[in-house]
Amino acid sequence: KQWYQRRVRVVKAGELRGAADLLVSLVESKMGPPRFQITLLLDSLPLINGGPTGEIVMSSRQTYVLMKALEDMQIKKLLKEGDSQKVETIRLALVTNLASSLLEEPW
């Protein structure tokens, strides 16, 4: 709960890269039940989509971590049947972010 509250404060302060780091840390740590992680990802859609400025704040590595977590939740059947629309919304945002971040990252 403290991590989530910290993430909210960081986003409000406009520190989007820090918020992205916290989001990835929360998902990687697998703290809380899958329902919490889905809610966390849904709440983070504006961040995944680049925040109010549309700036890409998540690296491709961070995006892969979130994509893997989402896929793992589906494979392990940890999500409810009614979550399919939510999962597709999150997946679309992650794929879009991945494409954008790969274009911006140096090779």
Side-chain angles (χ1 to χ4, degrees):
K1 186 175 178 179
Q2 292 174 350
W3 285 50
Y4 184 78
Q5 291 170 342
R6 182 172 174 218
R7 188 193 70 81
V8 169
R9 283 193 308 271
V10 170
V11 169
K12 284 183 181 177
E15 299 171 16
L16 299 181
R17 292 196 192 274
D21 291 341
L22 280 172
L23 170 62
V24 172
S25 294
L26 277 168
V27 171
E28 273 185 316
S29 69
K30 297 180 180 161
M31 295 178 87
R35 301 284 326 139
F36 171 74
Q37 290 196 9
I38 282 292
T39 301
L40 179 64
L41 289 170
L42 282 170
D43 286 351
S44 299
L45 282 176
L47 178 67
I48 294 168
N49 289 324
T53 63
E55 174 188 2
I56 303 303
V57 296
M58 293 178 60
S59 70
S60 59
R61 188 202 72 75
Q62 290 174 313
T63 306
Y64 279 126
V65 167
L66 299 181
M67 291 173 87
K68 182 177 180 336
L70 187 62
E71 193 68 24
D72 287 349
M73 284 186 266
Q74 281 191 289
I75 289 170
K76 294 176 183 175
K77 301 188 186 300
L78 299 174
L79 304 174
K80 294 181 180 178
E81 264 186 51
D83 287 340
S84 62
Q85 184 62 41
K86 294 174 185 176
V87 168
E88 290 308 312
T89 300
I90 295 166
R91 181 175 285 125
L92 177 61
L94 289 170
V95 168
T96 302
N97 180 274
L98 179 63
S100 298
S101 64
L102 285 171
L103 289 173
E104 289 191 9
E105 290 175 5
W107 287 88

